[in-house]
Amino acid sequence: MADAVGVSRSTVSNAYSRPDQLSAALRERILDAARQLGYPGPNPTARSLRRGFVGSIGVLFTSQLSYAFTDPFAVRFLAGVGAAAERHGTSMLLVPLPPAVTDARRAVENAAVDGFCVYCVADEEWALDVIRQRGLPFVSTAARDDAGADERFVGIDERAAARSVAAHVAGLGHRRVALLADSVLPDAPPGPLSLAGVDQVPHPTTRGRLSGFADAFAEVGVDWAELTVVNVPGNSRPAAATVVAGLFDQPAPPTAVLAGSDVLALGVLDALAARPAHDRPTVSVTGFDDIPGAAAAGLTTVRQPAEEKGRIAAELLLDPPADAAAGHVLLPTALVVRGSTGPVPRS
């Protein structure tokens, strides 16, 4: 291209990226020659490498790509990330991680981004190691005990928030309870699990919420071994309905089900509604997140600010504070009591 016009390669590049460096006549001659030769302009990938930045932030999550567009909380979180990205004139790349660790590592290694929002990664330390090896910044939404002082984080106190809703249920007299969460253990089958302790759970968010549930019931004399932990294969309403259906046919069924998300809780309500009226037990059900459908279902839940979490995560990545302490943002939560919880029914 440069030879065809009789100029240097840098002059051709300036015609596209720094037009003020050329006369209008020379720039038009270069662009006209490019059109005739079918030259599309400088390679954007090569250009970004020379500049040292890509102009895009990545969002890591452990799920299929469709999850980002169908899960109510994820949609709101990504809306917040997108709003901040727009304000900074950058774009967003969704990076779902395949189940195989080798493929997942490759996805993180090859993502053309300037940094990452680590939104939902089961055992995220390996992903953070890959990001560090690339020399890129990141913001996590899951608190880690071993996080460095300079690592950026935005999230909630998962354990305390979960304890608040579990204490509400315990205060209503419930002692026979089931705790429902998705992907509690890697490759675990759907249904009740034999779990020696909550420390076995790899996902930091799930671990925090189950810990908070357990804390509240321990305070009223219900040990971990007395709690029924139920695994759901994914954060899916139909999957939750299928998994819990058999719980209510047991000789001593739970009088309350505490779910790790509103989506799962709504699945529990679906399973109860599907039973014949004469065989429908009175069960208290709680969720977590306060997604738009929670209020319509009368679901007791924990409210957390989804869009604000996404917006702050992106802001911390794109405009990091000078003070490292300001890079740790703990957002407020609130217990929202609705009609899905009530006292233990009389026998």
Side-chain angles (χ1 to χ4, degrees), residues 75-156:
V75 169
R76 291 166 62 200
F77 175 85
L78 291 173
V81 174
E86 286 179 355
R87 195 172 75 82
H88 287 271
T90 190
S91 61
M92 177 172 60
L93 176 68
L94 303 181
V95 187
L97 300 180
V101 175
T102 302
D103 294 336
R105 290 183 66 93
R106 190 175 299 116
V108 180
E109 290 169 346
N110 295 336
V113 297
D114 299 307
F116 288 94
C117 289
V118 184
Y119 167 59
C120 184
V121 179
D123 187 0
E124 65 177 17
E125 192 56 42
W126 70 264
L128 301 186
D129 286 342
V130 175
I131 296 171
R132 293 188 189 100
Q133 289 167 9
R134 291 189 58 184
L136 295 178
F138 64 86
V139 176
S140 177
T141 61
R144 297 181 301 109
D145 295 335
D146 61 345
D150 59 340
E151 292 186 4
R152 283 164 260 173
F153 159 80
V154 56
I156 63 173

Side-chain angles (χ1 to χ4, degrees), residues 6 33 37-38 44 82 108 112 120 132 152 178 180 201 218-219 224 264 268 282 292 305 307 311 327 336:
L37 294 172
V108 180
C120 184
R132 293 188 189 100
R152 283 164 260 173
L180 194 67
V201 179
E219 291 176 1
W224 173 258
L264 298 181
V268 177
T282 300
E307 288 190 31
R311 180 185 60 77
V336 181

